[in-house]
Amino acid sequence: MSAFPATAHRSSAAVRARPADRIFRLLSTAAAVSIMVILAGVALFLILRAVPAIAANWTSEADLKSGVTGGFPSFWSYVAPLAFGTVWASLIALILATPVAIGIALFISHYSPRRLATFLGYIIDLLAAVPSVVFGLWGILVMRPFLLPMQEWLNTYLGWIPMFSGSVTSTGSSILTGAVVLAVMVLPIITSISREVFLQTPKLHEEAALALGATRWEMVRLTVFPYARSGVVSAVLLGLGRALGETMAVAMIISPAIITSFRVLTEGENSQTIASNIALNFPIATGLQRDALIGTGLVLFVISLAVNMVARLVISRKPRQRRRPTGDDGGKATAAPDPADVLAASDARVSPVSVLHPESVSK
Amino acid sequence: MKVLSFGRAAAVLTVGMLALTGCGGNASSSSTSTAAGSSPAGSTAAAATDYSSLSGTITAGGSSAQANAQAAWAAGFKAQASKVTINYDKSQGSGGGVTNFTAGSYDFAGSDAYLTADQAAKAQELCGPGGAINLPVYLDGVAVIFNLPGVDKLQLSAETIAKIFSQQIKTWDDAAIKADNPGVTLPSTAITTVTRSDGSGTTQNFTNYLHQVAPAVWTDPVSNKWPVAGSSAQQGGSGVVNTVKAGEGTIGYADHSAIGDLKAAAIKAGDAYVSFSADAVTKAVEAAVTPAANAKEGDLAQDIDYTKLTSANAYPIPLISYDILCTTFKDPAQAKLTAAYIGYIASEQGQKIAAKNAGSAPLPAELAAKIQESLKKVS
């Protein structure tokens, strides 16, 4: 991203600019501008449509008192549980997906034979291409009955944990089932970005660690992880972005209620997400109700924007805080020269995520 | 006009947004906008039942309950008027249908509820002083479906249904259910109520029924969004049907035409328990409808008084879906075309086709005649 203007500009000044150059530059500039215009347009549309519903008196406006938005004293009391549900469902999905995704990525980048790695990479990318409606159907027909016994077990034996309390679901359409399916959906994003980042680890570092007597796992822990930390964090955040906006699968699987509830195993106490609430209620909503739903969309827009901005911030921040080896791995690591210094010595760092286009992964 | 075009742009943007967030399958044909004026002047001489000289495009959308019937009607009409194209966009839902109609994008809207006073005022801006008329063209019933192994036939009174769906009865062997089903052995299985998670005309009708017939038990509001917490809420009629089918001890409600091979309860009316039949729905509509309070001339919006349904041959929870159109179109040829199509829908043949393909109930003869009468005034 940042490489283009600096070098290209200088060389075009040296060589006389040709028409083709100018046209191409114009086209690419136009493309870059259009994305800003589109984004601004969407934001403007959301704000313009949302304002009437946000400003309206929810206790007296006939449109808002009944139906889709009925029973809420104000816009904020309507959107708050939805925003919570959106973040809550996505968070559970990430907690489930991240360890698996990092495991897969690491296996592909550092453990598997090359041919298997290529094949696995294909499979993961294929997973990203499955439409979310298909995931939704899979969730309803396969995952719901499949996860039901596990949910009953969790409720019976771990029901004292607030998250697992409540009357357990009898059809399986709990937020946990939804989160499991969401986790599968964000898996390819986190995996493919993490894999690329892991592969960027300088061979020199890895070999240095191995030469110092580190085992394969220690090498990964001492060289790959510290190097990839910011990249993995941004991968996770991009996965979060996908999870936040996911509509269809969530709408199809979860039995929602517009409440703030941490319970994950119930039928009637699953916090609804913004995106699926819009999808479910927009068709029947009229007038101000539609504006209210668009208002919730604005809130989702802001949340996603915030997540993405945090992701960018994490990527751009000087990464690696040095972490000294902690006590439990003691002996070997301290006997060797501090690996963090080895890392710091060569600082030919490539910003891990700039080499790919994570957006292209998220469909 | 500026507002209108903004609204349309907004609708397109919204659809685009939904598509971007991964909501596939939203094949919207609403972008075709008003297809008026495509009908040549020569078609004005068409007689009421000979459609062959008609041509043009009808753009409509709304209620998904009508979707199967609309598809059958469009095919049936096309067979007689080969130069006519009919686009009915069911992805819009009733609310979207009415919104697009009052924005001027549709020739008619399909809706499970007649226009509210607000919407009627908006429609008047579009249609002129005559406003829009609601024509009840599609009848069905709300079925109470259940899945309880070992129990094939179930009888329920309105009070019992209200108690079950407001979560006051928790198990199938409750005294109230037993009282409705003498001689049937009921297991102690826990009841799971399955409802709609999306806003729906079916929910509106069902809550309205419970509100009217069992007011002492059902204290929740009448709403197109399910008002009681603690149920298993599923997307769409098919979601409810699938979940009831897959579960055990489940009970839910859905348009009868969508329930497939699931068992539906017989519902108490007066002293008898009435099972669903198309004929019983027609009888129910005959007996229970009264013209809505704000109905203008030619408008056939109907209020259902469920408490009148006490005879053994009328199904207690009928469901009415409307087609809504202007009395005055901007283009007379388009008016003629649209009126001809809806006339076909309300005709005996049209109703038969819908009954066969969509499982709907035929209109009472008197109501069908009134629809044809109203359509004559559309110009």
Side-chain angles (χ1 to χ4, degrees), chain B residues 95-127:
Chain B
V98 170
T99 306
N100 286 350
F101 170 71
T102 51
S105 320
Y106 283 166
D107 296 319
F108 72 89
S111 172
D112 296 342
Y114 60 80
L115 296 178
T116 62
D118 262 13
Q119 292 166 341
K122 263 186 208 157
Q124 201 151 8
E125 277 173 38
L126 172 80
C127 307

Side-chain angles (χ1 to χ4, degrees), chain B residues 175-197:
Chain B
I177 305 179
K178 277 184 178 162
D180 280 334
N181 296 278
V184 178
T185 331
L186 291 157
S188 62
T189 317
I191 296 178
T192 302
T193 55
V194 184
T195 60
R196 293 282 289 266
S197 62

Side-chain angles (χ1 to χ4, degrees), chain A residues 41-42 45-46 48-49 63 66-70 72 78 132-133 140-141 144 170-171 173 245-248 251-256 258 267-269 272 275 278-287 289-290 294 297 300 363, chain B residues 6-7 10-11 13-14 17-18 20-25 91-100 112 118-119 122 192 194 197-201 222-225 229-236 239 242-243 246-248 250:
Chain A
V42 169
F45 153 75
L46 286 173
L48 283 179
R49 286 297 299 267
D63 234 5
S66 63
V68 173
T69 52
F72 295 92
Y78 178 61
S132 59
V133 178
I140 288 182
L141 300 174
R144 260 170 35 172
S170 57
T171 63
S173 49
E246 181 46 45
T247 313
M248 236 24 224
M252 290 167 83
I253 295 165
I254 298 178
S255 155
I258 304 182
E267 191 85 42
E269 294 172 85
Q272 173 69 304
I278 295 176
L280 289 175
N281 291 314
F282 198 79
I284 196 124
T286 53
Q289 294 174 357
R290 291 205 151 186
I294 292 172
L300 178 60
K363 288 222 173 61
Chain B
F6 174 73
L13 254 180
T14 318
M17 252 173 48
L18 289 173
L20 276 179
T21 47
C23 169
S91 72
Q92 294 294 320
S94 295
V98 170
T99 306
N100 286 350
D112 296 342
D118 262 13
Q119 292 166 341
K122 263 186 208 157
T192 302
V194 184
S197 62
D198 49 340
S200 155
V222 176
S223 171
N224 58 27
K225 190 188 77 172
S231 67
S232 171
Q234 302 295 332
Q235 185 194 14
N242 287 335
T243 305
E248 198 179 310
T250 45

Side-chain angles (χ1 to χ4, degrees), chain B residues 283-362:
Chain B
K283 290 248 165 51
V285 170
E286 254 169 7
V289 295
T290 46
N294 62 349
K296 295 183 169 172
E297 197 200 340
D299 187 356
L300 297 175
Q302 306 290 332
D303 284 326
I304 304 177
D305 185 352
Y306 295 101
T307 55
K308 280 189 190 166
L309 295 172
T310 51
S311 102
N313 59 10
Y315 185 71
I317 329 177
L319 185 125
I320 299 179
S321 193
Y322 296 87
D323 280 352
I324 300 166
L325 72 164
C326 285
T327 45
T328 312
F329 278 58
K330 290 191 175 59
D331 175 4
Q334 191 66 19
K336 190 146 198 111
L337 179 63
T338 310
Y341 176 59
I342 295 178
Y344 169 78
I345 288 175
S347 72
E348 207 181 324
Q349 189 191 8
Q351 290 293 310
K352 262 189 198 142
I353 285 178
K356 182 162 169 261
N357 292 286
S360 73

